[in-house]
Amino acid sequence: MLIERLTRAVKDALAICRAEDLVPDVGVPVEVVAQAGAYATNAPLLLARRSENAVSTAGARAGVYAEHLAENINAHPDTPAVAKALETGTLLLYPSSAVYAETVRAVLAAGDEWGTNKSGGGSRALVEFVSANPNTPLSLHHARGAAVGDAMCHLLWASGYTVEREFYVNDAASAQQLRSLARAVFGAYREHFGVAASEITSEGYSGEYVTELAKKIGEASGDRYVDLSPEAAATALTPLVVSLMQAEQEETLVRFGVRFDRWFSEATLLAGGALQNVLDTLLASGAAYAHGGALWLKTTQYGDDGDRVLLRNDGTPSYFAGDLAYHADKLQARAYDLTVDVWNADHQPYIGRTMAGLAALGVPNVEHRLRIAVFGTVRALQDGSELRTGRYASGVVTLKEILDAGSDADALRFALLLASPTSVPMDLSVDALAPSAPNNPLTGVRAALAKSSAMPDTGDADLGELKDNEALSGIIRRLDMFPDTVRGAATTASPAEVARFAWSLADAVNRLPESGDAATSATIRAAGVTLQNALRLLGIAPA
């Protein structure tokens, strides 16, 4: 709105000044950006740098060009702004009260549609996130990935995509770990029925959740497995353990406000020949080669910093090979126009090799069809100290425990998204997640929404000289940035940008002094519309 009007005004002035030989006839990009109290463009400086003149310096010419542009903009009877030229060549633009008022009314008229765009054009997008191994409970680390992934789904929807959510069940790569967990559960299962399990080791799996799994199996199946050998028990119990773990993961995520369209099994994918198809394609094209008893992919030919193993010496596929088969399934077999992966930070080195592998497979436009959001780990703090629990052997705090303790799920989601940058580890104060906690991260946003709800609808009342009220005009400039913030967050897979926008806008609204005038009421109501939409895009209920 505002920036579009101002950009058009500068472009029109440039065209007129070129026609009158007041500025050189060279093409320059026109970018108008928000500054404190105004907008600015460096178009005059770019004009000066791209033109030749033996008489004056580029700096001097830029100042003159800025003057010509300012005079032209200010002379227009319907100018959207007062223009001011600086000697440095920067052109400042101060929007008129009418343009500010027009922006406020546009936000109110758009309502729930404010901030949306049609850039996706109905294209099919698949977002894969969380995808935790089925041998561990969901931690706060997984919760951060869930918050990022679900917000990305909302952002893509707001950008005109048809969006699907997918949880990739790693039941093939983690098959050995699952058998180990099943053996540990078997030991706890035997103890549940009073049978000694001294000969059965926990194999690294312990904690309350192992006992809980054993109890659930005992309640459902009785003691039918008690006399099995550890290996026979592992075979019998593994599918039960996977089913129970997946059910708990799904239930916990639903409580967190996250639902998936599909739980996609890695084992089923590979059993269907997806990996072999990928290997056959790479061998046929010459992109794969044998060396040292292993099969390698020439990823260096596609920009990676080293060739990567596809099959190890013993014939087992590498993690990279299985992941490449999954991505080929998404982009080729199922032919999504856009896929988004939400990865934890320790997977960051796989970005380059994944892009290279897909290029080797001949996936077209992979650099535009695959976006990867990276998030860091989460350390839970209570009373300023690291929180450790007993449900998970390592003491890692689980999402279920946080929700069971009565934490505000929306506040948790907002806190996980607000931490910046998303790719680095964060500390999370669980004390702040209580609904009544004074430092609850959503308190400010909710206060701003309450303030907005209390404002009367002033209809078409004159909003006065908004340009002279920096507190209100500053908020309006923020409102105008919202559509670009949404579009940018979707494009760069950075939903944290929307969370920070909401927090900043709410803070500005809460700082406004009480006033009953039409301008204040309309501006705060428009801010409320924007905050509600921002929260929805983060997967948070506005109320």
Coordinates of all heavy atoms in Angstrom, one line a residue, residues 223-296:
D223 N 0.3 -61.5 29.5 CA 1.7 -62.0 29.6 C 2.2 -62.9 28.5 O 3.1 -63.7 28.7 CB 1.8 -62.7 31.0 CG 1.0 -63.9 31.1 OD1 0.2 -64.2 30.1 OD2 1.0 -64.6 32.1
R224 N 1.5 -62.8 27.4 CA 1.8 -63.8 26.3 C 3.3 -63.7 25.8 O 3.7 -64.7 25.2 CB 0.9 -63.5 25.1 CG 1.2 -62.3 24.3 CD 0.2 -62.1 23.1 NE -1.1 -61.9 23.5 CZ -2.1 -61.7 22.7 NH1 -1.8 -61.6 21.4 NH2 -3.3 -61.4 23.1
Y225 N 4.0 -62.6 26.0 CA 5.3 -62.5 25.5 C 6.4 -62.8 26.6 O 7.6 -62.8 26.3 CB 5.6 -61.1 25.0 CG 4.6 -60.7 23.9 CD1 3.7 -59.6 24.2 CD2 4.6 -61.3 22.7 CE1 2.8 -59.2 23.2 CE2 3.6 -60.9 21.7 CZ 2.8 -59.9 22.0 OH 1.9 -59.5 21.0
V226 N 6.0 -63.1 27.8 CA 6.9 -63.2 28.9 C 8.0 -64.3 28.7 O 9.2 -64.0 29.0 CB 6.2 -63.5 30.2 CG1 7.1 -64.0 31.3 CG2 5.4 -62.3 30.7
D227 N 7.7 -65.4 28.1 CA 8.7 -66.5 28.0 C 9.4 -66.5 26.7 O 10.2 -67.4 26.4 CB 7.9 -67.8 28.1 CG 7.3 -68.0 29.5 OD1 7.9 -67.5 30.4 OD2 6.2 -68.6 29.6
L228 N 9.3 -65.4 25.9 CA 10.0 -65.3 24.6 C 11.5 -65.0 24.9 O 11.9 -64.4 25.9 CB 9.5 -64.3 23.7 CG 8.1 -64.5 23.1 CD1 7.7 -63.3 22.3 CD2 8.0 -65.8 22.4
S229 N 12.4 -65.4 24.0 CA 13.8 -65.0 24.0 C 13.8 -63.5 23.7 O 12.9 -63.0 23.1 CB 14.6 -65.8 23.0 OG 14.3 -65.4 21.7
P230 N 14.9 -62.8 24.1 CA 15.0 -61.4 23.8 C 14.9 -61.1 22.3 O 14.2 -60.1 21.9 CB 16.4 -61.0 24.3 CG 16.6 -62.0 25.5 CD 16.0 -63.3 25.0
E231 N 15.5 -61.9 21.4 CA 15.4 -61.6 20.0 C 14.0 -61.9 19.5 O 13.5 -61.1 18.7 CB 16.4 -62.4 19.2 CG 17.8 -61.9 19.4 CD 18.0 -60.5 19.0 OE1 17.5 -60.1 18.0 OE2 18.5 -59.7 19.9
A232 N 13.4 -62.9 19.9 CA 12.0 -63.2 19.5 C 11.1 -62.1 20.0 O 10.1 -61.7 19.3 CB 11.6 -64.6 20.0
A233 N 11.3 -61.7 21.2 CA 10.5 -60.6 21.8 C 10.7 -59.3 21.0 O 9.7 -58.6 20.8 CB 10.9 -60.4 23.3
A234 N 11.9 -59.0 20.6 CA 12.2 -57.8 19.8 C 11.4 -57.8 18.5 O 10.8 -56.8 18.1 CB 13.7 -57.7 19.5
T235 N 11.4 -59.0 17.9 CA 10.6 -59.1 16.6 C 9.1 -58.9 16.9 O 8.4 -58.3 16.1 CB 10.8 -60.5 16.0 OG1 12.2 -60.7 15.7 CG2 10.0 -60.7 14.7
A236 N 8.6 -59.5 18.0 CA 7.2 -59.4 18.3 C 6.8 -58.0 18.8 O 5.7 -57.6 18.4 CB 6.8 -60.5 19.3
L237 N 7.6 -57.4 19.6 CA 7.3 -56.2 20.2 C 7.6 -54.9 19.4 O 6.9 -53.9 19.7 CB 7.9 -56.1 21.6 CG 7.6 -57.1 22.7 CD1 8.3 -56.8 24.0 CD2 6.1 -57.2 22.9
T238 N 8.5 -55.0 18.5 CA 8.9 -53.8 17.7 C 7.7 -53.1 17.1 O 7.5 -51.9 17.2 CB 9.9 -54.1 16.7 OG1 11.2 -54.5 17.3 CG2 10.2 -52.9 15.8
P239 N 6.8 -53.8 16.3 CA 5.7 -53.1 15.7 C 4.7 -52.5 16.8 O 4.1 -51.5 16.5 CB 5.0 -54.2 14.9 CG 5.5 -55.5 15.4 CD 6.9 -55.2 15.9
L240 N 4.6 -53.2 17.9 CA 3.7 -52.7 19.0 C 4.3 -51.4 19.6 O 3.6 -50.4 19.8 CB 3.6 -53.7 20.1 CG 2.9 -55.0 19.7 CD1 2.8 -56.0 20.9 CD2 1.5 -54.8 19.2
V241 N 5.6 -51.4 19.8 CA 6.3 -50.2 20.3 C 6.2 -49.1 19.3 O 5.9 -47.9 19.7 CB 7.8 -50.6 20.6 CG1 8.6 -49.3 20.9 CG2 7.9 -51.5 21.8
V242 N 6.4 -49.3 18.0 CA 6.3 -48.3 17.0 C 4.9 -47.7 17.0 O 4.7 -46.5 17.0 CB 6.7 -48.8 15.6 CG1 6.4 -47.8 14.6 CG2 8.2 -49.2 15.6
S243 N 3.9 -48.5 17.1 CA 2.5 -48.1 17.0 C 2.2 -47.2 18.3 O 1.6 -46.2 18.2 CB 1.6 -49.3 17.0 OG 0.2 -48.9 17.0
L244 N 2.7 -47.7 19.4 CA 2.4 -46.9 20.7 C 3.2 -45.6 20.7 O 2.6 -44.5 21.1 CB 2.8 -47.7 21.9 CG 1.9 -48.9 22.2 CD1 2.6 -49.8 23.3 CD2 0.6 -48.4 22.7
M245 N 4.4 -45.6 20.2 CA 5.2 -44.4 20.2 C 4.6 -43.4 19.2 O 4.5 -42.2 19.5 CB 6.6 -44.7 19.8 CG 7.4 -45.4 20.9 SD 7.6 -44.4 22.4 CE 8.5 -42.9 21.8
Q246 N 4.2 -43.9 18.0 CA 3.6 -43.0 17.0 C 2.3 -42.4 17.5 O 2.0 -41.2 17.3 CB 3.4 -43.7 15.7 CG 2.8 -42.8 14.6 CD 2.8 -43.5 13.3 OE1 3.8 -44.2 12.9 NE2 1.7 -43.4 12.5
A247 N 1.5 -43.2 18.2 CA 0.2 -42.7 18.8 C 0.4 -41.7 19.8 O -0.3 -40.6 19.8 CB -0.6 -43.9 19.4
E248 N 1.5 -41.8 20.7 CA 1.8 -40.8 21.6 C 2.3 -39.5 21.0 O 1.9 -38.4 21.4 CB 2.8 -41.3 22.7 CG 3.1 -40.2 23.7 CD 4.2 -40.6 24.7 OE1 4.1 -41.6 25.3 OE2 5.2 -39.9 24.8
Q249 N 3.1 -39.7 20.0 CA 3.6 -38.5 19.2 C 2.5 -37.7 18.6 O 2.4 -36.5 18.7 CB 4.6 -38.9 18.2 CG 5.9 -39.4 18.7 CD 6.9 -39.9 17.6 OE1 6.4 -40.2 16.5 NE2 8.1 -40.1 18.0
E250 N 1.5 -38.5 18.0 CA 0.4 -37.8 17.3 C -0.5 -37.1 18.4 O -0.9 -36.0 18.2 CB -0.4 -38.8 16.5 CG -1.5 -38.2 15.7 CD -2.2 -39.2 14.8 OE1 -1.8 -40.4 14.8 OE2 -3.0 -38.7 13.9
E251 N -0.8 -37.8 19.5 CA -1.6 -37.2 20.5 C -1.0 -35.9 21.1 O -1.7 -34.9 21.3 CB -1.9 -38.2 21.6 CG -2.7 -37.7 22.8 CD -2.8 -38.7 23.9 OE1 -2.4 -39.8 23.8 OE2 -3.3 -38.2 25.0
T252 N 0.3 -36.0 21.3 CA 1.0 -34.8 21.9 C 1.0 -33.7 20.9 O 0.8 -32.5 21.3 CB 2.5 -35.2 22.3 OG1 2.5 -36.3 23.2 CG2 3.2 -34.1 22.9
L253 N 1.2 -34.0 19.7 CA 1.2 -32.9 18.7 C -0.1 -32.2 18.5 O -0.2 -31.0 18.3 CB 1.7 -33.4 17.3 CG 3.2 -33.7 17.3 CD1 3.6 -34.6 16.0 CD2 4.1 -32.4 17.3
V254 N -1.2 -33.1 18.6 CA -2.5 -32.5 18.5 C -2.8 -31.6 19.7 O -3.4 -30.5 19.5 CB -3.6 -33.6 18.5 CG1 -5.0 -33.1 18.7 CG2 -3.5 -34.4 17.2
R255 N -2.3 -31.9 20.9 CA -2.4 -31.0 22.0 C -1.7 -29.7 21.8 O -2.1 -28.7 22.3 CB -1.9 -31.7 23.3 CG -2.8 -32.9 23.8 CD -2.1 -33.6 25.0 NE -2.0 -32.7 26.1 CZ -1.3 -32.9 27.2 NH1 -0.6 -34.0 27.3 NH2 -1.3 -32.0 28.2
F256 N -0.6 -29.8 21.0 CA 0.2 -28.6 20.7 C -0.4 -27.9 19.6 O 0.1 -26.8 19.2 CB 1.6 -29.1 20.4 CG 2.6 -28.0 20.3 CD1 2.7 -27.0 21.3 CD2 3.5 -27.9 19.3 CE1 3.7 -26.0 21.2 CE2 4.5 -26.9 19.2 CZ 4.5 -25.9 20.1
G257 N -1.5 -28.4 19.0 CA -2.1 -27.7 17.9 C -1.6 -28.0 16.5 O -1.8 -27.3 15.5
V258 N -0.9 -29.2 16.4 CA -0.3 -29.5 15.1 C -0.9 -30.9 14.6 O -0.9 -31.9 15.4 CB 1.2 -29.7 15.2 CG1 1.8 -30.2 13.9 CG2 1.8 -28.4 15.6
R259 N -1.5 -30.9 13.4 CA -2.0 -32.1 12.8 C -1.4 -32.3 11.5 O -1.1 -31.3 10.7 CB -3.6 -31.9 12.7 CG -4.3 -32.0 14.0 CD -5.8 -31.7 13.8 NE -6.6 -32.0 15.1 CZ -6.6 -31.1 16.1 NH1 -6.0 -29.9 16.0 NH2 -7.4 -31.4 17.1
F260 N -1.3 -33.6 11.1 CA -0.7 -33.9 9.8 C -1.7 -34.5 8.9 O -2.6 -35.3 9.3 CB 0.5 -34.9 10.0 CG 1.7 -34.2 10.7 CD1 1.9 -34.2 12.0 CD2 2.7 -33.7 9.9 CE1 3.0 -33.6 12.6 CE2 3.8 -33.0 10.4 CZ 3.9 -33.0 11.8
D261 N -1.5 -34.3 7.6 CA -2.3 -34.9 6.6 C -1.9 -36.3 6.3 O -2.7 -37.2 5.9 CB -2.2 -34.1 5.3 CG -2.8 -32.7 5.4 OD1 -4.0 -32.6 5.7 OD2 -2.0 -31.8 5.2
R262 N -0.6 -36.6 6.6 CA 0.0 -37.9 6.3 C 1.2 -38.3 7.2 O 2.0 -37.4 7.4 CB 0.4 -37.9 4.8 CG 0.9 -39.2 4.2 CD 1.3 -39.0 2.8 NE 0.2 -38.4 2.0 CZ 0.3 -37.1 1.6 NH1 1.3 -36.3 1.9 NH2 -0.7 -36.6 0.9
W263 N 1.2 -39.5 7.6 CA 2.3 -40.1 8.3 C 3.0 -41.0 7.3 O 2.4 -42.1 7.1 CB 1.9 -40.8 9.6 CG 1.4 -39.8 10.7 CD1 0.3 -39.0 10.6 CD2 2.1 -39.5 11.9 NE1 0.2 -38.2 11.7 CE2 1.3 -38.5 12.5 CE3 3.2 -39.9 12.5 CZ2 1.6 -37.9 13.8 CZ3 3.6 -39.3 13.8 CH2 2.8 -38.4 14.4
F264 N 4.1 -40.6 6.8 CA 4.7 -41.3 5.6 C 5.8 -42.3 6.1 O 6.8 -41.8 6.6 CB 5.2 -40.3 4.6 CG 5.5 -40.8 3.3 CD1 4.6 -40.9 2.3 CD2 6.8 -41.3 3.0 CE1 4.9 -41.3 1.0 CE2 7.1 -41.7 1.7 CZ 6.2 -41.8 0.7
S265 N 5.6 -43.6 5.8 CA 6.6 -44.6 6.3 C 7.8 -44.7 5.4 O 7.7 -45.0 4.2 CB 5.9 -45.9 6.5 OG 6.8 -47.0 6.6
E266 N 9.0 -44.5 6.0 CA 10.2 -44.7 5.3 C 10.4 -46.2 4.8 O 10.8 -46.5 3.7 CB 11.4 -44.3 6.1 CG 12.8 -44.6 5.5 CD 13.9 -44.4 6.5 OE1 13.7 -44.4 7.7 OE2 15.0 -44.2 6.0
A267 N 10.0 -47.1 5.7 CA 10.1 -48.5 5.4 C 9.2 -48.9 4.2 O 9.7 -49.7 3.3 CB 9.8 -49.4 6.6
T268 N 8.0 -48.4 4.2 CA 7.1 -48.6 3.0 C 7.7 -48.1 1.8 O 7.6 -48.7 0.7 CB 5.7 -48.1 3.3 OG1 5.2 -48.6 4.5 CG2 4.8 -48.3 2.2
L269 N 8.2 -46.9 1.8 CA 8.8 -46.2 0.6 C 9.9 -47.1 0.1 O 10.0 -47.4 -1.1 CB 9.4 -44.8 1.0 CG 10.1 -44.1 -0.1 CD1 9.2 -43.7 -1.2 CD2 10.9 -42.9 0.5
L270 N 10.8 -47.5 0.9 CA 12.0 -48.3 0.5 C 11.6 -49.7 0.0 O 12.1 -50.2 -1.0 CB 13.0 -48.4 1.6 CG 13.6 -47.0 2.1 CD1 14.7 -47.3 3.0 CD2 14.1 -46.2 0.9
A271 N 10.6 -50.3 0.7 CA 10.1 -51.6 0.2 C 9.5 -51.5 -1.1 O 9.5 -52.5 -1.9 CB 9.1 -52.1 1.2
G272 N 9.0 -50.4 -1.5 CA 8.4 -50.2 -2.8 C 9.4 -50.0 -3.9 O 9.0 -49.7 -5.1
G273 N 10.7 -50.0 -3.6 CA 11.7 -49.9 -4.6 C 12.2 -48.5 -4.9 O 12.9 -48.2 -5.9
A274 N 11.8 -47.5 -4.1 CA 12.2 -46.1 -4.4 C 13.7 -45.9 -4.3 O 14.3 -45.2 -5.2 CB 11.6 -45.2 -3.3
L275 N 14.4 -46.6 -3.4 CA 15.9 -46.4 -3.3 C 16.5 -47.1 -4.5 O 17.4 -46.5 -5.1 CB 16.4 -47.0 -2.0 CG 17.9 -47.0 -1.9 CD1 18.5 -45.6 -2.0 CD2 18.3 -47.7 -0.6
Q276 N 16.1 -48.3 -4.9 CA 16.7 -48.9 -6.0 C 16.5 -48.1 -7.3 O 17.4 -48.1 -8.2 CB 16.1 -50.3 -6.2 CG 16.8 -51.2 -7.2 CD 18.3 -51.4 -6.8 OE1 18.6 -51.8 -5.7 NE2 19.2 -51.1 -7.7
N277 N 15.3 -47.5 -7.5 CA 15.1 -46.7 -8.6 C 16.1 -45.5 -8.7 O 16.6 -45.2 -9.8 CB 13.6 -46.1 -8.6 CG 12.6 -47.2 -8.8 OD1 12.9 -48.3 -9.3 ND2 11.4 -46.9 -8.4
V278 N 16.3 -44.9 -7.6 CA 17.3 -43.8 -7.5 C 18.7 -44.3 -7.9 O 19.4 -43.7 -8.7 CB 17.3 -43.2 -6.1 CG1 18.5 -42.3 -5.9 CG2 16.0 -42.3 -5.9
L279 N 19.1 -45.4 -7.3 CA 20.4 -46.0 -7.6 C 20.5 -46.3 -9.1 O 21.6 -46.0 -9.7 CB 20.7 -47.2 -6.7 CG 20.7 -47.0 -5.2 CD1 21.0 -48.3 -4.5 CD2 21.8 -45.9 -4.9
D280 N 19.5 -47.0 -9.6 CA 19.5 -47.3 -11.1 C 19.7 -46.1 -12.0 O 20.4 -46.1 -12.9 CB 18.3 -48.1 -11.4 CG 18.2 -49.5 -10.8 OD1 19.2 -50.0 -10.3 OD2 17.1 -50.1 -10.8
T281 N 18.9 -45.0 -11.6 CA 19.0 -43.8 -12.4 C 20.4 -43.2 -12.4 O 20.9 -42.8 -13.4 CB 18.0 -42.8 -11.9 OG1 16.7 -43.4 -12.0 CG2 18.0 -41.5 -12.7
L282 N 21.0 -43.1 -11.2 CA 22.3 -42.5 -11.0 C 23.4 -43.4 -11.7 O 24.3 -42.8 -12.3 CB 22.6 -42.4 -9.5 CG 21.7 -41.4 -8.8 CD1 22.0 -41.4 -7.3 CD2 21.9 -39.9 -9.3
L283 N 23.3 -44.7 -11.6 CA 24.2 -45.5 -12.3 C 24.1 -45.4 -13.8 O 25.1 -45.3 -14.6 CB 24.0 -47.0 -11.9 CG 24.6 -47.3 -10.5 CD1 24.0 -48.7 -10.1 CD2 26.1 -47.4 -10.5
A284 N 22.9 -45.3 -14.3 CA 22.7 -45.2 -15.8 C 23.2 -43.9 -16.3 O 23.7 -43.9 -17.5 CB 21.2 -45.4 -16.1
S285 N 23.1 -42.9 -15.5 CA 23.6 -41.6 -16.0 C 25.1 -41.4 -15.8 O 25.6 -40.4 -16.3 CB 22.8 -40.5 -15.3 OG 23.2 -40.4 -13.9
G286 N 25.7 -42.3 -15.1 CA 27.1 -42.1 -14.8 C 27.4 -41.2 -13.7 O 28.6 -40.9 -13.4
A287 N 26.4 -40.8 -12.9 CA 26.6 -39.9 -11.8 C 27.1 -40.7 -10.6 O 27.6 -40.1 -9.6 CB 25.3 -39.2 -11.4
A288 N 26.9 -42.0 -10.6 CA 27.3 -42.9 -9.4 C 28.5 -43.8 -9.9 O 28.5 -44.2 -11.1 CB 26.2 -43.7 -8.9
Y289 N 29.4 -44.1 -9.0 CA 30.5 -44.9 -9.3 C 30.9 -45.8 -8.1 O 30.7 -45.4 -7.0 CB 31.7 -44.1 -9.8 CG 32.3 -43.1 -8.8 CD1 33.4 -43.5 -8.0 CD2 31.7 -41.9 -8.5 CE1 33.9 -42.7 -7.1 CE2 32.2 -41.0 -7.6 CZ 33.3 -41.4 -6.8 OH 33.8 -40.6 -5.9
A290 N 31.6 -46.9 -8.4 CA 32.1 -47.8 -7.4 C 33.5 -47.4 -7.0 O 34.3 -47.1 -7.9 CB 32.0 -49.2 -7.8
H291 N 33.8 -47.4 -5.7 CA 35.2 -47.1 -5.3 C 35.3 -47.7 -3.9 O 34.5 -47.4 -3.0 CB 35.4 -45.6 -5.2 CG 36.8 -45.3 -4.7 ND1 37.9 -45.6 -5.4 CD2 37.2 -44.7 -3.5 CE1 39.0 -45.1 -4.7 NE2 38.5 -44.6 -3.5
G292 N 36.4 -48.5 -3.7 CA 36.7 -49.1 -2.4 C 35.6 -50.0 -1.8 O 35.4 -50.1 -0.6
G293 N 34.8 -50.6 -2.7 CA 33.8 -51.5 -2.3 C 32.5 -50.8 -2.0 O 31.5 -51.5 -1.6
A294 N 32.4 -49.5 -2.1 CA 31.2 -48.7 -1.8 C 30.7 -48.1 -3.1 O 31.5 -48.0 -4.1 CB 31.5 -47.7 -0.8
L295 N 29.5 -47.6 -3.1 CA 28.9 -46.9 -4.2 C 28.9 -45.4 -3.9 O 28.3 -45.1 -2.8 CB 27.6 -47.4 -4.6 CG 26.9 -46.8 -5.8 CD1 27.7 -47.2 -7.1 CD2 25.4 -47.2 -6.0
W296 N 29.4 -44.6 -4.7 CA 29.5 -43.1 -4.4 C 28.7 -42.3 -5.5 O 28.5 -42.8 -6.6 CB 31.0 -42.7 -4.5 CG 31.9 -43.3 -3.5 CD1 32.3 -44.6 -3.4 CD2 32.4 -42.6 -2.3 NE1 33.1 -44.8 -2.3 CE2 33.2 -43.6 -1.6 CE3 32.3 -41.3 -1.8 CZ2 33.9 -43.3 -0.5 CZ3 33.0 -41.0 -0.7 CH2 33.8 -42.0 0.0

